[in-house]
């Protein structure tokens, strides 16, 4: 049986992007919530809760972006020019945030500056990721296999809405992570913010979900045509189910459940995006088969991925296992 290499690579890159969103999402959420926790001791614990894993989480972003360049060069060449501004802003924000992890602990006089670098970098990175996603969902103008749009085409009301939705979604992941990993007053305040963020996330998801099908006829047909509509009605039911688990876990102090249910919300949203996109990698202009490189290249890279991806999964799982459990405020990673 002949392997469908473009499909396999599309699945691998989709997995890498999903892994980045759910893993780096909660540590970006910690930064987004930073301004709401003013005590230095609380901020120290918040950073220590993600310090051992945040840089490993970003490995998946490198894998997804690098894989897109190597395997789907046409998609890379058309998506990147359309999103230069938000992607450059995101990368600069991630640099500020990454540097803040180290300098905040060493430069006591400038600690407040690095606090803002961490919070600002996290918020801008999350907002730009959401805006980029929204711009991709609304479509990129491609003519003769090149980007044919303008510099500011990415900036629309819909992309701003998706940026805001991802921002509050990451805040929910960050708050529920703190509920799961911390104790005492910090955990109680995180529980309060998680409740607010959960309501905001559901509202934002609802607004994006109602808007998306009307962006393109293909989306509308896919989501509301019989018999696929029988499956799409399950999406809001699953979202409501995750929301109820979050609320129940927060109220009954089942500290792990809200975080897992928040991840479930992201998984549902991601599957929904996949349903809208497939089989396009640049909706609705370029399919994954049109964008793929030669089969020989895809097969050669797949051999490398067969070694690399299990290795990343192994050290990621090991890191989370070693640093599991509640954070002790008297101990620090740094």
């Amino acid at each position: 049986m002949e392997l469908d290499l473009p499909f396999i690579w599309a699945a691998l890159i989709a997995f890498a992007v999903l892994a980045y969103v759910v893993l780096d999402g909660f540590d970006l959420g910690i930064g987004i919530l930073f301004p709401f926790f003013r005590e230095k001791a609380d901020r120290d614990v918040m950073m220590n809760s993600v310090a051992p894993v945040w840089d490993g989480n970003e490995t998946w972003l490198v894998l997804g972006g690098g894989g897109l360049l190597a395997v789907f060069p046409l998609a890379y060449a058309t998506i990147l020019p359309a999103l230069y501004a938000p992607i450059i802003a995101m990368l600069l924000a991630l640099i500020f945030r990454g540097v803040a992890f180290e300098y905040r602990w060493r430069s006591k006089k400038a600690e407040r500056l690095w606090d803002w670098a961490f919070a600002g970098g996290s918020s801008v990175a999350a907002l730009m990721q959401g805006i980029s996603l929204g711009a991709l969902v609304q479509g990129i103008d491609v003519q003769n296999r090149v980007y044919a749009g303008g510099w500011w085409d990415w900036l629309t009301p819909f992309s701003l809405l998706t940026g805001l939705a991802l921002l509050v979604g990451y805040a929910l992941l960050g708050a529920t992570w703190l509920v799961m990993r911390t104790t005492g007053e910090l955990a109680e305040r995180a529980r309060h913010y998680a409740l607010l963020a959960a309501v905001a996330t559901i509202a934002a998801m609802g607004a994006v979900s109602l808007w998306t099908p009307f962006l393109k006829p293909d989306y509308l047909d896919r989501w509301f045509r019989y018999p696929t509509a029988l499956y799409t009605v399950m999406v809001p039911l699953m979202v409501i189910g995750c929301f109820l688990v979050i609320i129940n876990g927060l109220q009954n102090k089942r500290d792990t459940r809200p975080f897992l249910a928040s991840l479930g919300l992201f998984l549902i949203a991601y599957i929904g995006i996949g349903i809208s996109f497939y089989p396009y990698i640049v909706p609705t202009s370029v399919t994954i088969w049109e964008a793929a490189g030669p089969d020989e290249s895809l097969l050669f890279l797949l051999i490398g991925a067969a070694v690399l991806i299990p290795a990343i999964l192994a050290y990621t799982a090991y890191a989370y296992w070693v640093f599991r459990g509640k954070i002790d405020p008297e101990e620090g990673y740094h």
Side-chain angles (χ1 to χ4, degrees):
M1 183 177 67
E2 186 176 353
L3 293 175
D4 188 346
L5 292 170
F7 180 81
I8 293 172
W9 265 109
L12 289 176
I13 291 177
F15 173 75
V17 174
L18 175 62
Y20 170 76
V21 169
V22 299
L23 292 178
D24 208 33
F26 70 79
D27 63 58
L28 285 169
I30 298 294
I32 294 167
L33 293 171
F34 227 50
F36 300 98
F37 294 84
R38 296 189 176 277
E39 297 295 329
K40 179 183 182 307
D42 289 343
R43 292 182 171 185
D44 288 350
V45 172
M46 291 168 72
M47 289 195 82
N48 274 327
S49 74
V50 295
V53 295
W54 75 271
D55 44 359
N57 294 341
E58 294 188 349
T59 304
W60 296 104
L61 179 63
V62 176
L63 182 64
L68 188 68
L69 168 62
V71 181
F72 298 110
L74 177 59
Y76 188 88
T78 51
I79 293 174
L80 215 64
L83 302 176
Y84 270 142
I87 288 177
I88 290 172
M90 179 195 73
L91 294 176
L92 290 174
L94 289 176
I95 291 171
F96 266 93
R97 175 175 173 275
V99 171
F101 264 103
E102 303 301 330
Y103 281 83
R104 181 179 180 275
W105 299 90
R106 302 298 179 188
S107 179
K108 297 299 180 184
K109 290 183 180 178
E111 185 178 79
R112 188 164 293 277
L113 170 67
W114 293 114
D115 280 353
W116 280 109
F118 180 58
S122 301
S123 301
V124 171
L127 187 64
M128 291 300 122
Q129 287 175 16
I131 286 176
S132 299
L133 173 63
L136 191 60
V137 171
Q138 73 189 7
I140 292 174
D141 187 10
V142 179
Q143 295 178 13
N144 298 323
R145 297 168 64 88
V146 297
Y147 174 59
W151 178 256
W152 295 102
D153 284 7
W154 56 271
L155 186 59
T156 64
F158 180 76
S159 68
L160 292 175
L161 175 62
T162 54
L164 183 63
L166 196 63
L167 186 75
V168 296
Y170 280 172
L172 173 62
L173 286 177
T176 52
W177 171 264
L178 289 176
V179 170
M180 185 173 68
R181 296 298 309 278
T182 63
T183 57
E185 186 178 346
L186 173 57
E188 289 302 317
R189 293 186 63 189
R191 194 168 281 113
H192 170 68
Y193 290 128
L195 180 60
L196 296 177
V199 174
T201 300
I202 294 298
M205 284 182 69
V208 172
S209 300
L210 289 174
W211 195 336
T212 299
F214 298 98
L215 290 172
K216 289 181 177 294
D218 285 5
Y219 297 165
L220 189 65
D221 186 56
R222 182 156 299 179
W223 281 97
F224 294 108
R225 184 184 60 187
Y226 180 83
T228 54
L230 296 177
Y231 298 98
T232 57
V233 296
M234 296 173 61
V235 174
L237 296 178
M238 290 189 290
V239 169
I240 293 172
C242 288
F243 178 69
L244 293 177
V245 172
I246 293 172
I247 300 302
N248 180 266
L250 293 173
Q251 290 178 338
N252 295 304
K253 298 190 176 180
R254 304 283 188 178
D255 291 347
T256 303
R257 291 182 186 177
F259 180 69
L260 295 179
S262 301
L263 293 180
L265 285 178
F266 272 78
L267 180 61
I268 294 168
Y270 195 74
I271 292 173
I273 293 170
I275 292 172
S276 299
F277 273 27
Y278 186 80
Y280 295 100
I281 194 167
V282 182
T284 49
S285 304
V286 182
T287 67
I288 57 177
W289 295 277
E290 292 170 338
D295 277 359
E296 293 79 6
S297 299
L298 269 56
L299 182 59
F300 176 76
L301 292 167
L302 188 61
I303 295 170
V307 177
L308 186 64
I309 292 177
I312 297 173
L313 288 171
Y315 73 65
T316 300
Y318 182 70
Y320 279 88
W321 174 257
V322 169
F323 294 98
R324 69 189 183 278
K326 296 284 187 180
I327 299 292
D328 184 349
E330 301 301 322
E331 296 181 352
Y333 173 76
H334 287 82

